[in-house]
Amino acid sequence: MADLYNKIKIYLGRDFTSEEVLLQDDQINRVSNPYIKDWNVAEAQPTEEQLNALESQATTLESNKQVIATRKGLYG
């Protein structure tokens, strides 16, 4: 499952700061439950359905980041 941060990054089309979007995770029985606590961006806050629709794009973004990190570690 893709990270909420990456879904929001794709939704906005850019990185964002914690002042713009504050994410919180109230773990229940050691199960992660991240959510948007505060939204201070001009764009409308996305619905859960909109964020879920970005799942595959966010997964691809995360996979690409991992490949880049691995290559940097191997090749400098």
Side-chain angles (χ1 to χ4, degrees):
M1 188 159 141
D3 186 88
L4 179 59
Y5 176 90
N6 288 317
K7 290 179 185 178
I8 294 170
K9 180 178 177 178
I10 291 169
Y11 175 80
L12 293 174
R14 62 178 175 83
D15 280 319
F16 56 91
T17 66
S18 60
E19 287 81 26
E20 292 177 304
V21 179
L22 182 59
L23 302 178
Q24 187 160 333
D25 188 351
D26 297 336
Q27 290 189 359
I28 300 171
N29 296 327
R30 297 184 182 177
V31 175
S32 182
N33 186 29
Y35 62 94
I36 300 169
K37 182 174 181 177
D38 199 16
W39 185 266
N40 296 309
V41 181
E43 293 89 340
Q45 182 172 337
T47 63
E48 192 167 335
E49 290 80 19
Q50 288 173 309
L51 291 174
N52 288 339
L54 299 171
E55 179 77 29
S56 65
Q57 290 174 288
T59 300
T60 299
L61 179 67
E62 291 172 8
S63 296
N64 290 344
K65 284 183 180 181
Q66 183 60 43
V67 168
I68 291 168
T70 301
R71 287 183 179 167
K72 281 184 178 180
L74 293 173
Y75 305 110

